Amino acid sequence: MTSSTSTKIAIVGYGSQGRAHALNLRDSGFDVTVGLRPGGPTEAKAKADGFVVKSPAEAVKDADLVAVLTPDMVQKKLYEDVLRDNLKQGAVLLFAHGLNVHFGMISPREDLDVVLVAPKGPGALVRREYEIGRGVPCIYAVYQDKSGKAEEFALAYAGGLGGARANIIKTTFKEETETDLFGEQAVLCGGASSLVQAGFETLVEAGYQPEIAYYEVLHELKLIVDLFYEGGITRMLEFISETAQYGDFVSGPRVIDASVKARMKDVLTDIQNGTFVRNWQAEYDAGLPNYRKFQQADKDHPIEKVGKELRAKMVWLQGNAGPASEEQAKKTAAA
Protein backbone atom coordinates (compact mmCIF):
# COMPACT_ATOMS: atom_id res chain seq x y z
CA MET A 1 0.00 0.00 0.00
CA THR A 2 1.49 3.28 -1.07
CA SER A 3 0.36 6.85 -0.65
CA SER A 4 -1.52 7.43 -3.88
CA THR A 5 -4.97 8.06 -5.23
CA SER A 6 -5.03 4.42 -6.40
CA THR A 7 -5.29 3.19 -2.80
CA LYS A 8 -8.90 3.32 -1.67
CA ILE A 9 -9.55 3.75 2.05
CA ALA A 10 -12.94 3.63 3.73
CA ILE A 11 -13.20 5.35 7.10
CA VAL A 12 -16.19 3.98 9.01
CA GLY A 13 -17.15 6.48 11.68
CA TYR A 14 -16.54 10.22 11.74
CA GLY A 15 -16.07 11.20 15.34
CA SER A 16 -12.94 12.86 16.70
CA GLN A 17 -10.48 10.23 15.46
CA GLY A 18 -12.43 9.38 12.31
CA ARG A 19 -12.41 12.94 11.07
CA ALA A 20 -8.70 13.43 11.82
CA HIS A 21 -7.76 10.16 10.10
CA ALA A 22 -9.86 10.94 7.04
CA LEU A 23 -8.50 14.46 6.60
CA ASN A 24 -4.86 13.54 7.19
CA LEU A 25 -4.99 10.52 4.88
CA ARG A 26 -6.63 12.53 2.12
CA ASP A 27 -4.00 15.24 2.45
CA SER A 28 -1.35 12.49 2.26
CA GLY A 29 -2.65 11.42 -1.13
CA PHE A 30 -5.01 8.57 -0.35
CA ASP A 31 -8.45 8.15 -1.91
CA VAL A 32 -10.74 8.38 1.12
CA THR A 33 -14.45 7.60 1.36
CA VAL A 34 -16.41 7.91 4.60
CA GLY A 35 -18.94 5.29 5.64
CA LEU A 36 -21.76 6.55 7.84
CA ARG A 37 -25.33 5.72 8.67
CA PRO A 38 -27.58 7.85 6.40
CA GLY A 39 -29.02 10.75 8.34
CA GLY A 40 -26.63 10.19 11.24
CA PRO A 41 -25.20 13.06 13.30
CA THR A 42 -21.89 13.28 11.47
CA GLU A 43 -22.99 12.81 7.85
CA ALA A 44 -23.39 16.54 7.22
CA LYS A 45 -20.02 17.26 8.81
CA ALA A 46 -18.20 14.76 6.60
CA LYS A 47 -19.90 16.14 3.49
CA ALA A 48 -19.01 19.69 4.52
CA ASP A 49 -15.39 18.55 4.73
CA GLY A 50 -15.64 17.51 1.09
CA PHE A 51 -15.86 13.74 1.44
CA VAL A 52 -17.98 11.33 -0.52
CA VAL A 53 -20.23 9.77 2.12
CA LYS A 54 -21.85 6.38 1.60
CA SER A 55 -23.55 3.86 3.83
CA PRO A 56 -20.96 1.65 5.54
CA ALA A 57 -21.95 -1.32 3.37
CA GLU A 58 -21.40 0.63 0.15
CA ALA A 59 -18.29 2.43 1.37
CA VAL A 60 -16.35 -0.75 2.13
CA LYS A 61 -17.15 -2.78 -1.00
CA ASP A 62 -14.39 -1.34 -3.17
CA ALA A 63 -11.99 -0.31 -0.40
CA ASP A 64 -8.46 -1.67 -0.23
CA LEU A 65 -8.38 -0.76 3.47
CA VAL A 66 -11.28 -0.31 5.88
CA ALA A 67 -10.63 1.58 9.11
CA VAL A 68 -13.17 0.88 11.87
CA LEU A 69 -13.33 4.04 13.96
CA THR A 70 -16.66 3.63 15.71
CA PRO A 71 -17.22 3.15 19.47
CA ASP A 72 -16.04 -0.20 20.84
CA MET A 73 -19.42 -1.58 21.77
CA VAL A 74 -21.01 -1.17 18.32
CA GLN A 75 -18.14 -2.75 16.42
CA LYS A 76 -19.19 -6.39 16.84
CA LYS A 77 -22.63 -5.76 15.35
CA LEU A 78 -21.15 -3.52 12.67
CA TYR A 79 -18.74 -6.26 11.61
CA GLU A 80 -21.34 -9.03 11.65
CA ASP A 81 -24.14 -7.07 9.96
CA VAL A 82 -22.16 -4.96 7.50
CA LEU A 83 -18.43 -5.51 7.15
CA ARG A 84 -18.03 -9.29 7.11
CA ASP A 85 -20.06 -9.86 3.93
CA ASN A 86 -19.17 -6.62 2.14
CA LEU A 87 -15.39 -6.35 2.56
CA LYS A 88 -13.72 -7.33 -0.68
CA GLN A 89 -11.46 -10.36 -0.83
CA GLY A 90 -7.99 -9.70 0.58
CA ALA A 91 -8.76 -6.25 1.97
CA VAL A 92 -7.06 -4.75 5.01
CA LEU A 93 -9.21 -4.37 8.13
CA LEU A 94 -7.81 -1.76 10.50
CA PHE A 95 -8.73 -0.87 14.06
CA ALA A 96 -7.56 1.98 16.31
CA HIS A 97 -8.14 -0.11 19.46
CA GLY A 98 -7.80 -3.86 19.72
CA LEU A 99 -10.55 -4.65 22.23
CA ASN A 100 -13.02 -6.45 19.96
CA VAL A 101 -10.42 -8.54 18.16
CA HIS A 102 -8.26 -9.36 21.18
CA PHE A 103 -11.20 -10.52 23.29
CA GLY A 104 -12.78 -12.52 20.49
CA MET A 105 -15.87 -10.40 19.97
CA ILE A 106 -14.86 -10.05 16.33
CA SER A 107 -13.34 -13.00 14.43
CA PRO A 108 -12.08 -11.50 11.16
CA ARG A 109 -12.39 -13.43 7.92
CA GLU A 110 -9.31 -15.48 7.16
CA ASP A 111 -8.64 -13.79 3.83
CA LEU A 112 -8.19 -10.35 5.42
CA ASP A 113 -5.11 -8.61 6.71
CA VAL A 114 -5.98 -7.31 10.17
CA VAL A 115 -3.94 -4.48 11.70
CA LEU A 116 -4.09 -1.80 14.35
CA VAL A 117 -2.90 1.81 14.17
CA ALA A 118 -3.45 4.02 17.21
CA PRO A 119 -2.26 7.64 17.38
CA LYS A 120 -1.30 8.53 20.94
CA GLY A 121 -3.34 11.67 21.12
CA PRO A 122 -6.90 12.97 20.68
CA GLY A 123 -8.21 13.52 17.18
CA ALA A 124 -8.00 17.28 17.32
CA LEU A 125 -4.29 17.05 18.16
CA VAL A 126 -3.69 14.45 15.43
CA ARG A 127 -5.14 16.87 12.89
CA ARG A 128 -3.52 20.01 14.28
CA GLU A 129 -0.03 18.53 14.41
CA TYR A 130 -0.37 17.24 10.86
CA GLU A 131 -1.46 20.64 9.56
CA ILE A 132 1.62 22.37 10.96
CA GLY A 133 3.97 19.78 9.52
CA ARG A 134 4.48 17.62 12.58
CA GLY A 135 2.80 14.45 13.77
CA VAL A 136 1.53 12.54 16.77
CA PRO A 137 3.34 9.28 17.68
CA CYS A 138 1.52 6.12 16.59
CA ILE A 139 1.62 2.53 17.74
CA TYR A 140 0.78 -0.30 15.36
CA ALA A 141 0.23 -4.03 15.43
CA VAL A 142 -0.48 -6.93 13.10
CA TYR A 143 -3.06 -9.53 14.07
CA GLN A 144 -3.50 -11.36 10.78
CA ASP A 145 -1.08 -11.24 7.85
CA LYS A 146 -2.70 -13.01 4.92
CA SER A 147 -0.94 -11.01 2.19
CA GLY A 148 2.50 -10.94 3.76
CA LYS A 149 2.32 -7.15 3.59
CA ALA A 150 0.13 -6.36 6.60
CA GLU A 151 2.92 -4.56 8.44
CA GLU A 152 3.64 -2.48 5.35
CA PHE A 153 -0.02 -1.48 5.19
CA ALA A 154 -0.07 -0.47 8.86
CA LEU A 155 3.10 1.60 8.51
CA ALA A 156 1.78 3.35 5.41
CA TYR A 157 -1.45 4.21 7.21
CA ALA A 158 0.44 5.49 10.26
CA GLY A 159 2.65 7.53 7.96
CA GLY A 160 -0.41 8.98 6.27
CA LEU A 161 -1.64 10.18 9.66
CA GLY A 162 1.68 11.95 10.24
CA GLY A 163 2.99 9.40 12.72
CA ALA A 164 6.27 8.89 10.87
CA ARG A 165 7.11 12.54 11.54
CA ALA A 166 7.13 11.75 15.25
CA ASN A 167 7.54 8.12 16.30
CA ILE A 168 6.03 4.76 15.34
CA ILE A 169 6.28 1.84 17.77
CA LYS A 170 5.34 -1.77 17.09
CA THR A 171 3.10 -3.49 19.63
CA THR A 172 0.54 -6.31 19.70
CA PHE A 173 -3.26 -6.29 19.89
CA LYS A 174 -2.93 -7.80 23.39
CA GLU A 175 -0.48 -5.20 24.66
CA GLU A 176 -2.30 -2.21 23.18
CA THR A 177 -5.70 -3.33 24.44
CA GLU A 178 -4.70 -4.31 27.96
CA THR A 179 -2.42 -1.35 28.65
CA ASP A 180 -4.94 1.11 27.21
CA LEU A 181 -7.74 -0.20 29.42
CA PHE A 182 -5.48 -0.29 32.47
CA GLY A 183 -4.25 3.28 31.93
CA GLU A 184 -7.80 4.59 31.62
CA GLN A 185 -9.11 2.74 34.64
CA ALA A 186 -6.27 2.86 37.15
CA VAL A 187 -4.61 6.19 36.40
CA LEU A 188 -5.90 8.54 33.72
CA CYS A 189 -9.66 8.49 34.30
CA GLY A 190 -10.72 6.24 37.17
CA GLY A 191 -7.64 6.80 39.30
CA ALA A 192 -7.32 10.54 38.73
CA SER A 193 -11.00 11.39 39.19
CA SER A 194 -11.31 9.28 42.33
CA LEU A 195 -8.14 10.82 43.77
CA VAL A 196 -9.42 14.34 43.09
CA GLN A 197 -12.83 13.61 44.62
CA ALA A 198 -11.28 12.07 47.72
CA GLY A 199 -8.93 15.02 48.17
CA PHE A 200 -11.81 17.48 47.81
CA GLU A 201 -13.94 15.59 50.31
CA THR A 202 -11.07 15.40 52.81
CA LEU A 203 -10.53 19.16 52.78
CA VAL A 204 -14.23 20.12 52.88
CA GLU A 205 -14.96 17.65 55.68
CA ALA A 206 -12.08 19.23 57.62
CA GLY A 207 -13.85 22.60 57.41
CA TYR A 208 -12.05 24.28 54.50
CA GLN A 209 -13.94 26.27 51.86
CA PRO A 210 -15.08 24.18 48.88
CA GLU A 211 -13.76 26.84 46.51
CA ILE A 212 -10.28 26.66 48.01
CA ALA A 213 -10.40 22.87 47.97
CA TYR A 214 -11.36 22.91 44.27
CA TYR A 215 -8.39 25.05 43.34
CA GLU A 216 -5.96 22.95 45.36
CA VAL A 217 -6.94 19.45 44.21
CA LEU A 218 -8.44 19.91 40.74
CA HIS A 219 -7.65 23.25 39.13
CA GLU A 220 -3.93 23.15 39.79
CA LEU A 221 -3.68 19.53 38.62
CA LYS A 222 -3.36 20.82 35.05
CA LEU A 223 -0.15 22.65 35.94
CA ILE A 224 1.42 19.43 37.20
CA VAL A 225 0.14 17.28 34.34
CA ASP A 226 1.55 19.75 31.80
CA LEU A 227 4.96 19.41 33.44
CA PHE A 228 4.66 15.61 33.38
CA TYR A 229 3.78 15.78 29.68
CA GLU A 230 6.69 18.08 28.83
CA GLY A 231 9.45 16.28 30.70
CA GLY A 232 8.23 13.59 33.06
CA ILE A 233 8.51 13.58 36.82
CA THR A 234 11.99 15.13 36.57
CA ARG A 235 10.59 18.31 34.98
CA MET A 236 7.81 18.51 37.54
CA LEU A 237 10.36 18.37 40.35
CA GLU A 238 12.40 21.13 38.69
CA PHE A 239 9.46 23.53 38.71
CA ILE A 240 7.82 22.98 42.09
CA SER A 241 9.10 24.37 45.35
CA GLU A 242 11.39 22.52 47.74
CA THR A 243 8.47 22.34 50.18
CA ALA A 244 6.26 20.72 47.53
CA GLN A 245 9.06 18.32 46.64
CA TYR A 246 9.54 17.24 50.24
CA GLY A 247 5.79 16.75 50.63
CA ASP A 248 5.84 14.66 47.45
CA PHE A 249 8.61 12.45 48.81
CA VAL A 250 7.16 11.80 52.27
CA SER A 251 3.39 11.92 51.68
CA GLY A 252 2.90 10.58 48.15
CA PRO A 253 3.81 7.02 49.21
CA ARG A 254 1.42 7.30 52.20
CA VAL A 255 -1.52 7.89 49.86
CA ILE A 256 -0.47 5.66 46.96
CA ASP A 257 1.02 2.80 48.92
CA ALA A 258 1.59 -0.90 48.30
CA SER A 259 -2.08 -1.67 48.89
CA VAL A 260 -3.03 0.67 46.04
CA LYS A 261 -0.57 -1.05 43.74
CA ALA A 262 -2.01 -4.42 44.78
CA ARG A 263 -5.50 -3.23 43.82
CA MET A 264 -4.10 -1.92 40.53
CA LYS A 265 -2.85 -5.45 39.89
CA ASP A 266 -6.37 -6.72 40.57
CA VAL A 267 -7.71 -4.26 38.00
CA LEU A 268 -5.12 -5.47 35.50
CA THR A 269 -6.01 -9.09 36.17
CA ASP A 270 -9.68 -8.40 35.49
CA ILE A 271 -8.68 -6.78 32.20
CA GLN A 272 -6.32 -9.59 31.20
CA ASN A 273 -8.70 -12.45 31.92
CA GLY A 274 -11.65 -10.77 30.21
CA THR A 275 -13.73 -10.07 33.32
CA PHE A 276 -13.91 -6.33 32.64
CA VAL A 277 -14.96 -6.77 29.01
CA ARG A 278 -17.58 -9.42 29.88
CA ASN A 279 -19.03 -7.11 32.54
CA TRP A 280 -18.97 -4.13 30.18
CA GLN A 281 -20.66 -6.14 27.42
CA ALA A 282 -23.37 -7.29 29.83
CA GLU A 283 -23.87 -3.73 31.05
CA TYR A 284 -24.16 -2.46 27.47
CA ASP A 285 -26.59 -5.22 26.50
CA ALA A 286 -28.75 -4.40 29.54
CA GLY A 287 -29.15 -0.79 28.43
CA LEU A 288 -26.42 0.77 30.62
CA PRO A 289 -28.36 1.08 33.91
CA ASN A 290 -25.31 1.06 36.19
CA TYR A 291 -23.24 3.08 33.74
CA ARG A 292 -25.84 5.87 33.81
CA LYS A 293 -26.09 5.69 37.60
CA PHE A 294 -22.30 5.96 38.03
CA GLN A 295 -22.13 8.75 35.47
CA GLN A 296 -24.84 10.74 37.24
CA ALA A 297 -23.15 10.24 40.62
CA ASP A 298 -19.97 11.84 39.26
CA LYS A 299 -21.95 14.73 37.78
CA ASP A 300 -23.76 15.24 41.11
CA HIS A 301 -20.57 15.28 43.20
CA PRO A 302 -20.20 18.59 45.10
CA ILE A 303 -16.91 19.37 43.36
CA GLU A 304 -18.82 19.66 40.07
CA LYS A 305 -21.17 22.37 41.40
CA VAL A 306 -18.29 24.36 42.85
CA GLY A 307 -16.20 23.89 39.74
CA LYS A 308 -18.96 25.04 37.40
CA GLU A 309 -19.36 28.27 39.37
CA LEU A 310 -15.61 28.95 39.49
CA ARG A 311 -14.98 28.12 35.84
CA ALA A 312 -17.69 30.55 34.79
CA LYS A 313 -15.38 33.29 36.04
CA MET A 314 -12.34 31.96 34.14
CA VAL A 315 -12.76 33.89 30.91
CA TRP A 316 -9.83 32.10 29.27
CA LEU A 317 -11.82 28.86 29.35
CA GLN A 318 -14.84 30.21 27.48
CA GLY A 319 -15.32 28.70 24.04
CA ASN A 320 -12.46 26.27 24.53
CA ALA A 321 -13.65 22.76 23.59
CA GLY A 322 -10.15 21.29 23.74
CA PRO A 323 -9.40 17.62 24.35
CA ALA A 324 -12.15 17.43 26.98
CA SER A 325 -14.65 16.74 24.20
CA GLU A 326 -12.71 13.80 22.78
CA GLU A 327 -14.46 11.00 24.64
CA GLN A 328 -17.88 12.44 23.87
CA ALA A 329 -16.87 12.76 20.26
CA LYS A 330 -16.06 9.05 20.17
CA LYS A 331 -19.59 8.27 21.31
CA THR A 332 -21.11 10.26 18.47
CA ALA A 333 -19.15 8.44 15.77
CA ALA A 334 -21.87 7.01 13.57
CA ALA A 335 -21.67 3.56 12.13
Side-chain angles (χ1 to χ4, degrees), residues 135-158:
V136 168
C138 291
I139 60 176
Y140 78 96
V142 175
Y143 180 81
Q144 193 164 283
D145 186 9
K146 181 65 175 179
S147 71
K149 297 182 179 180
E151 184 169 15
E152 178 184 329
F153 297 151
L155 288 170
Y157 187 96

Side-chain angles (χ1 to χ4, degrees), residues 109-289:
R109 279 178 7 206
E110 292 185 2
D111 63 286
L112 303 173
D113 284 341
V114 182
V115 301
L116 177 150
V117 175
K120 301 314 293 177
L125 182 66
V126 172
R127 180 57 180 163
R128 186 165 64 248
E129 288 294 291
Y130 183 94
E131 288 182 301
I132 62 177
R134 299 189 306 221
V136 168
C138 291
I139 60 176
Y140 78 96
V142 175
Y143 180 81
Q144 193 164 283
D145 186 9
K146 181 65 175 179
S147 71
K149 297 182 179 180
E151 184 169 15
E152 178 184 329
F153 297 151
L155 288 170
Y157 187 96
L161 296 183
R165 300 171 181 174
N167 191 21
I168 300 178
I169 300 175
K170 188 173 184 178
T171 183
T172 64
F173 271 63
K174 172 182 170 61
E175 183 175 60
E176 185 278 333
T177 300
E178 294 176 358
T179 58
D180 184 81
L181 292 174
F182 176 80
E184 291 171 349
Q185 295 174 29
V187 180
L188 304 177
C189 303
S193 59
S194 293
L195 186 66
V196 164
Q197 289 173 339
F200 178 84
E201 292 166 5
T202 299
L203 288 176
V204 172
E205 290 166 7
Y208 299 105
Q209 295 179 69
E211 294 80 5
I212 301 300
Y214 174 88
Y215 281 126
E216 295 302 333
V217 303
L218 190 153
H219 178 81
E220 292 190 19
L221 184 61
K222 181 185 186 309
L223 307 177
I224 302 303
V225 170
D226 284 349
L227 292 172
F228 282 159
Y229 184 81
E230 293 167 7
I233 295 173
T234 297
R235 184 167 178 81
M236 183 270 287
L237 293 174
E238 290 173 354
F239 279 81
I240 63 175
S241 69
E242 289 85 352
T243 302
Q245 288 186 52
Y246 183 69
D248 174 325
F249 303 148
V250 300
S251 297
R254 295 176 63 192
V255 176
I256 308 299
D257 61 8
S259 67
V260 174
K261 188 174 178 181
R263 289 190 293 275
M264 283 184 167
K265 289 182 178 180
D266 290 341
V267 168
L268 181 58
T269 296
D270 282 351
I271 291 168
Q272 292 171 325
N273 64 24
T275 298
F276 169 76
V277 169
R278 286 193 296 272
N279 290 345
W280 175 215
Q281 183 69 63
E283 175 69 18
Y284 186 83
D285 292 343
L288 304 174

Side-chain angles (χ1 to χ4, degrees), residues 193-194 197 276 279-280 283 288-301 304:
S193 59
S194 293
Q197 289 173 339
F276 169 76
N279 290 345
W280 175 215
E283 175 69 18
L288 304 174
N290 293 305
Y291 171 95
R292 299 188 195 285
K293 180 179 68 176
F294 298 147
Q295 185 182 64
Q296 193 59 47
D298 272 354
K299 291 180 178 180
D300 291 341
H301 192 280
E304 291 304 292

Side-chain angles (χ1 to χ4, degrees), residues 66-134:
V66 174
V68 180
L69 300 175
T70 58
D72 291 330
M73 303 315 289
V74 306
Q75 289 183 11
K76 181 177 187 292
K77 182 175 174 56
L78 172 67
Y79 179 77
E80 293 176 349
D81 293 354
V82 178
L83 302 183
R84 181 171 56 198
D85 295 334
N86 286 293
L87 282 159
K88 74 177 187 180
Q89 193 77 13
V92 181
L93 183 60
L94 180 146
F95 296 87
H97 182 39
L99 186 148
N100 278 274
V101 172
H102 175 56
F103 287 109
M105 297 156 74
I106 291 176
S107 297
R109 279 178 7 206
E110 292 185 2
D111 63 286
L112 303 173
D113 284 341
V114 182
V115 301
L116 177 150
V117 175
K120 301 314 293 177
L125 182 66
V126 172
R127 180 57 180 163
R128 186 165 64 248
E129 288 294 291
Y130 183 94
E131 288 182 301
I132 62 177
R134 299 189 306 221

